[in-house]
Amino acid sequence: MRLSRYFMPVLKEDPKEAQIVSHRLMLRAGMIKQQTAGIYSWLPLGHRVLRRIEQIVHEEQARAGHIAMLMPTLQPADLWRESGRYDDYGEEMLRIKDRHKRDLLYGPTNEEMVTDIFRSHVNSYKDLPLTLYHVQWKFRDEIRPRFGVMRGREFLMKDGYNFDLTKEDALHAYNRHLVSYLRTYERMGLQAIPMRADGGPIGGDYTHEFLVLAETGESEVFYDSEITDLKFGGRHIDYDNVAECQAVLEEFTSRYARTDETHDEALFNQVPQERRRQARGIEVGQIFYFGTKYSEPMGATVVGPDGNRVPVHMGSHGIGVSRLLGAIIEASHDDKGIIWPEGVTPFHVGIVNLKQGDASTDGACEALYAELKAQGLDPLYDDRDERAGAKFATMDLIGLPWRITVGPRGLAANKVELTSRRTGESVELSPQEAVVRLQEIYRPVAEAAK
Amino acid sequence: MRLSRYFMPVLKEDPKEAQIVSHRLMLRAGMIKQQTAGIYSWLPLGHRVLRRIEQIVHEEQARAGHIAMLMPTLQPADLWRESGRYDDYGEEMLRIKDRHKRDLLYGPTNEEMVTDIFRSHVNSYKDLPLTLYHVQWKFRDEIRPRFGVMRGREFLMKDGYNFDLTKEDALHAYNRHLVSYLRTYERMGLQAIPMRADGGPIGGDYTHEFLVLAETGESEVFYDSEITDLKFGGRHIDYDNVAECQAVLEEFTSRYARTDETHDEALFNQVPQERRRQARGIEVGQIFYFGTKYSEPMGATVVGPDGNRVPVHMGSHGIGVSRLLGAIIEASHDDKGIIWPEGVTPFHVGIVNLKQGDASTDGACEALYAELKAQGLDPLYDDRDERAGAKFATMDLIGLPWRITVGPRGLAANKVELTSRRTGESVELSPQEAVVRLQEIYRPVAEAAK
């Protein structure tokens, strides 16, 4: 993309309404615009990151054997009356009447609807196990929406639902989700720690939240510091293998890690004092096993091997897709702006032309731009007629992890500068070498998608 | 995908509620499920086609230089009060009150919101031309939703908006959209004819609808038969070139082609009688130039070259993404089921194992499945323990354009059968040859994406 043809309205001033750094930086970098309280437009730069995050979620769901579909944003109220949650849900549910005065609602979650789909079409245990998921916009009418996309009213969520014959099978689905979520978050450059949590309005005894440590987190968390040494890494997992998934769950959940909702001071005190940590965290996902809570009242049953009908065991599993942009920025920024992890960056590299209009630098930038694209990379070329300082400040603000600086002095020696946004370190390379280096840098990102 | 692990609930009986073939086939193939009047879930097979269509739309928008973003589904009513359309829009607009009794609405279109974004951030003619677009769910509270996704209430639309300094520039944007739409529809295997149309509630003097000819179309259309000989084909267009885009517009719109809204009998009668055609069509897109209709009341102005502020010239341009599934099926089916064009098919090829459980056929199918995936193709392997007839009927119903049949007799001679869904013709090939043939078949689809 050429910046002269892009729409990236960066702000020079800090917006007053932003109380936390991710909200401030998203507004300043021209990623979002608030349309009304808690409802945002995703401007082009923000939309790019949203799509990258969504793509990683889809890839990892497919890898785990989960099936993509899409449920609508609006739901008939009757489904929620069946489960008994229509009245329970309170004012956070946005209730709507259509022109025929029928009750609709903007879905805050989809347990009822997916259970309805299941009961309409699945009849036999032979069609199990089954996990359906979608990535769709949700609405929760928060009384005080704030912190930008971190606590918006209209938000994008991945929510998946497993249907299994037995509790044992459903717990394997639970473990499978835990494994796939660890891999998902790591691809986004995040460490998200599974913590014992509370069921809330979804219900269920087995539930873990995934928390990213950040000073601005809304949850207070307590954990054994050993847990932050754990990495999922590049390990290969067979998602059908019950023992393998169980082992990962045990590895990542056997140490103390709880939110304030389930915190147990006595248990926590059994952790050696030097490893006890109290911090704040941002919730970026949650997994639940809730058995037959929805399948029983809604009649989602299958004929089992013995010929008898039994309600299916279910769980639901969510990733806060739009919220993740805020969480990633909270976890990865400095005083100049955002620092995108390579896995989710809106552009792979920025090209800064130090002397726009100069035939030699223009030519070198165009050649670099074309070659990077030919190699499957996505460059943002700042081809505006601006001072170098302004171009650097913009690149730092929007947080592309790599920058190539092209100036007449370097070019005289066939050199450009490749700079890391994270460390600030620069190396001088020929343009050809810079392209090769970037290909090497992004190879693991492409490999992780396979 | 292995069918044994997929969720594709095909129906044996014709559903009673379906009045037109696309609705009937989408229900029978397990592509959609109605949740309430005019609101559908996209089951996995339907979701795959929806995503392929959306992907083609994104690729062609990017090619034309248009910038992707995403506006929310819910909008504040105040924006629509500014343009004067809040009261005009009637009961098709779904009006909502949130918990604080603020007026929201589920966006049926986005002229107001995108104009608000523009006026908040763009100040100078130097930032023009600009075309922003998004692909987002819309809602129109139709009094009688029907025909499945063809006239649903919640529907997915691509809508794009151009902002230009002059009428001349805006008409180039109009032409650019016409060109890119021709290419978009052809990639989906559709012939969509631009026809002079009526502005309706969007407004504007310049507007063309794109219509796909089909007996079940809701519009009556009148055209010169020469128009159906026109193909956009693989031609390369420079979207910045005003004359090139204008020439395409003239080529595709100079012959008589109108919907009943703008039909002019006297003009039509000037077409030689043997070329006059009257038929029915499905609208799959529309482009508008409407000048300063929104920019004036909403104050979307830029400073021009002479230092004076002027309202920008705008247009809007829509593609009915979810409706396209219905339109493609209406245009491409037979009495056995759907026939997907290669560009949008949910899977590239079906593999039918004639003797599931036989070591030789199972092994050959597994090897084919793995090899097709390794070559970047997306096979659906029917690995169920079902009769051959049932497997063929399912493949015909869901309409994958190619099928490979693997049986013990053929395998003895190292042969499998490759069958075209469209023609029914089969050829015997070695498994290796079948993979190569499918790569050749799908190469143009991959090339068109570049």
Side-chain angles (χ1 to χ4, degrees), chain B residues 380-401:
Chain B
L380 178 67
Y381 171 24
D382 189 344
D383 59 344
R384 297 171 307 159
D385 185 17
E386 287 274 358
R387 288 176 306 105
K391 289 188 174 187
F392 289 145
T394 298
M395 284 293 174
D396 285 346
L397 173 63
I398 68 172
L400 307 187

Side-chain angles (χ1 to χ4, degrees), chain A residues 5 33 35 42 51 58 67 69-70 72-74 98-100 106 116 120 141 143 153-154 240, chain B residues 5 33 35 41-42 51 58 69-70 73-74 98-100 106 120 137 141 143 153-154 240:
Chain A
R5 305 192 71 160
K33 176 181 179 349
Q35 301 294 164
W42 297 80
R51 294 273 310 223
H58 277 298
I67 310 286
M69 61 173 300
L70 189 62
T73 62
L74 298 195
D98 72 9
R99 68 192 293 171
H100 299 297
Y106 201 122
D116 176 55
S120 304
D141 202 359
I143 191 159
R153 292 197 292 169
E154 186 171 327
D240 290 336
Chain B
R5 305 192 71 161
K33 176 181 180 347
Q35 301 295 164
S41 281
W42 297 80
R51 295 273 308 222
H58 277 298
M69 61 172 303
L70 189 61
T73 62
L74 298 195
D98 72 9
R99 67 191 295 172
H100 298 297
Y106 201 122
S120 303
W137 292 91
D141 202 359
I143 190 159
R153 293 197 290 169
E154 186 169 325
D240 290 335

Side-chain angles (χ1 to χ4, degrees), chain A residues 66-67 71 119 139 172 220 242 248 309 322 331 345 353 402:
Chain A
H66 305 158
I67 310 286
M71 289 174 271
R119 72 181 171 186
F139 201 91
H172 171 57
E220 195 162 18
V242 171
V248 174
R309 283 207 163 266
S322 49
T345 183
N353 184 342
W402 298 92

Side-chain angles (χ1 to χ4, degrees), chain A residues 367-421:
Chain A
L368 255 174
Y369 181 69
E371 182 57 21
L372 288 163
K373 285 176 64 151
Q375 298 304 329
L377 293 169
D378 220 345
L380 178 68
Y381 171 24
D382 189 345
D383 59 344
R384 298 170 307 161
D385 186 17
E386 287 275 359
R387 290 177 304 106
K391 290 188 175 187
F392 289 144
T394 298
M395 284 291 175
D396 285 346
L397 172 62
I398 69 171
L400 308 187
W402 298 92
R403 187 185 80 207
I404 300 179
T405 309
V406 181
R409 199 178 315 167
L411 277 185
N414 192 36
K415 295 289 184 196
V416 297
E417 203 175 63
L418 180 67
T419 307
S420 159
R421 173 69 181 86

Side-chain angles (χ1 to χ4, degrees), chain B residues 166 187 190 245-246 249 286 295 299 362 369 377 444:
Chain B
T166 64
R187 283 187 60 190
L190 282 178
C245 292
Q246 176 70 25
L249 174 103
Q286 189 161 4
S295 57
D362 287 5
Y369 182 69
L377 292 169

Side-chain angles (χ1 to χ4, degrees), chain A residues 1 4-7 9 11 32-37 39-45 47 50-51 54-55 58 65-76 79 91-92 94-102 104 106 113 116-118 120-122 126-127 129-130 132 136-137 139 141-145 153-154 240, chain B residues 1 4-7 9 11 32-37 39-45 47 50-51 54-55 58 65-76 79 91-92 94-102 104 106 113 116-118 120-122 126-127 129-130 132 136-137 139 141-145 153-154 240:
Chain A
M1 182 63 66
S4 64
R5 305 192 71 160
Y6 203 45
F7 179 63
L11 306 180
I32 52 171
K33 176 181 179 349
Q34 180 172 294
Q35 301 294 164
T36 187
I39 300 181
Y40 291 86
S41 281
W42 297 80
L43 303 184
L45 194 74
H47 180 242
L50 192 68
R51 294 273 310 223
E54 191 181 338
Q55 182 60 26
H58 277 298
H66 305 158
I67 310 286
M69 61 173 300
L70 189 62
M71 289 174 271
T73 62
L74 298 195
Q75 306 186 12
L79 282 177
E91 287 201 273
E92 284 200 7
L94 187 67
R95 291 151 210 264
I96 302 169
K97 279 200 194 293
D98 72 9
R99 68 192 293 171
H100 299 297
K101 306 298 171 211
R102 284 176 297 217
L104 299 173
Y106 201 122
M113 187 173 277
D116 176 55
I117 290 167
F118 181 88
S120 304
H121 291 299
V122 181
K126 290 179 189 164
D127 295 326
L130 177 64
L132 297 169
Q136 179 60 294
W137 292 92
F139 201 91
D141 202 359
E142 300 261 1
I143 191 159
R144 264 186 304 279
R153 292 197 292 169
E154 186 171 327
D240 290 336
Chain B
M1 182 64 65
S4 64
R5 305 192 71 161
Y6 203 44
F7 179 63
L11 305 181
I32 52 171
K33 176 181 180 347
Q34 180 173 293
Q35 301 295 164
T36 187
I39 301 181
Y40 291 87
S41 281
W42 297 80
L43 304 185
L45 194 72
H47 179 243
L50 192 69
R51 295 273 308 222
E54 191 182 339
Q55 181 61 27
H58 277 298
H66 305 158
I67 310 285
M69 61 172 303
L70 189 61
M71 289 174 271
T73 62
L74 298 195
Q75 306 186 13
L79 282 177
E91 288 201 89
E92 284 200 6
L94 188 67
R95 292 151 208 265
I96 302 169
K97 279 200 193 292
D98 72 9
R99 67 191 295 172
H100 298 297
K101 306 297 170 211
R102 284 178 295 217
L104 299 173
Y106 201 122
M113 187 173 276
D116 176 55
I117 290 167
F118 181 88
S120 303
H121 291 299
V122 181
K126 290 179 190 163
D127 295 326
L130 177 64
L132 297 170
Q136 179 59 294
W137 292 91
F139 201 91
D141 202 359
E142 299 262 0
I143 190 159
R144 262 186 305 278
R153 293 197 290 169
E154 186 169 325
D240 290 335

